[in-house]
Short mmCIF file of all heavy atoms in Angstrom, two decimals:
data_model
loop_
_atom_site.label_atom_id
_atom_site.label_comp_id
_atom_site.label_asym_id
_atom_site.label_seq_id
_atom_site.Cartn_x
_atom_site.Cartn_y
_atom_site.Cartn_z
N GLY T 94 79.86 114.86 88.90
CA GLY T 94 81.10 114.43 89.59
C GLY T 94 81.03 112.91 89.92
O GLY T 94 80.30 112.21 89.26
N PRO T 95 81.83 112.50 90.91
CA PRO T 95 81.97 111.05 91.17
C PRO T 95 80.70 110.54 91.89
O PRO T 95 80.09 111.21 92.63
CB PRO T 95 83.14 110.95 92.10
CG PRO T 95 83.34 112.38 92.78
CD PRO T 95 82.75 113.32 91.75
N VAL T 96 80.30 109.28 91.50
CA VAL T 96 79.25 108.59 92.12
C VAL T 96 79.71 107.18 92.48
O VAL T 96 80.26 106.45 91.65
CB VAL T 96 78.01 108.46 91.18
CG1 VAL T 96 76.85 107.77 91.89
CG2 VAL T 96 77.64 109.85 90.61
N MET T 97 79.45 106.78 93.76
CA MET T 97 79.81 105.45 94.28
C MET T 97 78.65 104.92 95.00
O MET T 97 77.80 105.69 95.52
CB MET T 97 81.09 105.48 95.16
CG MET T 97 82.15 106.34 94.65
SD MET T 97 83.56 106.50 95.88
CE MET T 97 84.30 104.89 95.61
N THR T 98 78.60 103.62 95.22
CA THR T 98 77.55 103.08 96.13
C THR T 98 78.03 103.31 97.56
O THR T 98 79.17 102.92 97.84
CB THR T 98 77.43 101.52 95.93
OG1 THR T 98 77.02 101.33 94.55
CG2 THR T 98 76.40 100.97 96.85
N PRO T 99 77.21 103.97 98.42
CA PRO T 99 77.77 104.27 99.72
C PRO T 99 78.05 102.97 100.53
O PRO T 99 77.35 102.04 100.42
CB PRO T 99 76.47 105.03 100.39
CG PRO T 99 75.65 105.45 99.24
CD PRO T 99 75.91 104.52 98.13
N ILE T 100 79.25 103.09 101.26
CA ILE T 100 79.70 101.91 102.00
C ILE T 100 79.03 101.84 103.35
O ILE T 100 78.82 102.92 103.96
CB ILE T 100 81.22 101.86 102.06
CG1 ILE T 100 81.68 100.55 102.52
CG2 ILE T 100 81.73 102.97 102.99
CD1 ILE T 100 83.21 100.30 102.35
N GLY T 101 78.59 100.69 103.82
CA GLY T 101 77.99 100.60 105.17
C GLY T 101 79.03 99.99 106.08
O GLY T 101 80.02 99.52 105.71
N PRO T 102 78.73 100.17 107.43
CA PRO T 102 79.73 99.73 108.40
C PRO T 102 80.09 98.26 108.29
O PRO T 102 81.24 97.84 108.51
CB PRO T 102 79.12 100.03 109.76
CG PRO T 102 77.73 100.53 109.47
CD PRO T 102 77.60 100.83 108.01
N ASP T 103 79.12 97.42 107.84
CA ASP T 103 79.38 95.95 107.77
C ASP T 103 80.21 95.63 106.48
O ASP T 103 80.77 94.47 106.38
CB ASP T 103 78.06 95.20 107.66
CG ASP T 103 77.21 95.52 108.85
OD1 ASP T 103 77.83 95.85 109.96
OD2 ASP T 103 75.95 95.39 108.76
N GLU T 104 80.31 96.57 105.58
CA GLU T 104 81.06 96.22 104.32
C GLU T 104 82.54 96.55 104.41
O GLU T 104 83.34 96.16 103.49
CB GLU T 104 80.45 97.04 103.18
CG GLU T 104 79.03 96.58 102.79
CD GLU T 104 78.44 97.47 101.80
OE1 GLU T 104 78.19 98.66 102.15
OE2 GLU T 104 78.14 97.09 100.68
N ILE T 105 82.99 97.21 105.49
CA ILE T 105 84.38 97.62 105.55
C ILE T 105 85.32 96.45 105.65
O ILE T 105 86.39 96.43 105.01
CB ILE T 105 84.56 98.66 106.68
CG1 ILE T 105 83.87 100.01 106.20
CG2 ILE T 105 86.04 98.84 107.04
CD1 ILE T 105 83.62 101.01 107.25
N GLY T 106 84.86 95.37 106.33
CA GLY T 106 85.65 94.17 106.37
C GLY T 106 85.83 93.49 105.05
O GLY T 106 86.71 92.62 104.90
N GLN T 107 84.94 93.81 104.17
CA GLN T 107 85.00 93.12 102.86
C GLN T 107 85.84 93.78 101.84
O GLN T 107 86.05 93.29 100.69
CB GLN T 107 83.50 93.00 102.18
CG GLN T 107 82.63 92.12 103.06
CD GLN T 107 81.19 92.48 102.81
OE1 GLN T 107 80.85 92.99 101.74
NE2 GLN T 107 80.31 92.18 103.74
N LEU T 108 86.31 94.94 102.15
CA LEU T 108 87.20 95.68 101.22
C LEU T 108 88.45 94.79 100.91
O LEU T 108 89.01 94.21 101.85
CB LEU T 108 87.73 97.00 101.81
CG LEU T 108 86.67 98.10 101.81
CD1 LEU T 108 87.14 99.28 102.68
CD2 LEU T 108 86.31 98.56 100.41
N SER T 109 88.75 94.59 99.70
CA SER T 109 89.78 93.61 99.36
C SER T 109 90.94 94.27 98.56
O SER T 109 90.75 94.84 97.53
CB SER T 109 89.14 92.45 98.60
OG SER T 109 90.22 91.69 97.92
N GLY T 110 92.20 94.04 99.12
CA GLY T 110 93.35 94.59 98.43
C GLY T 110 93.99 93.58 97.58
O GLY T 110 95.11 93.81 97.08
#
Side-chain angles (χ1 to χ4, degrees):
V96 183
M97 315 177 78
T98 302
I100 195 167
D103 302 334
E104 291 172 295
I105 287 164
Q107 294 158 23
L108 287 168
S109 164

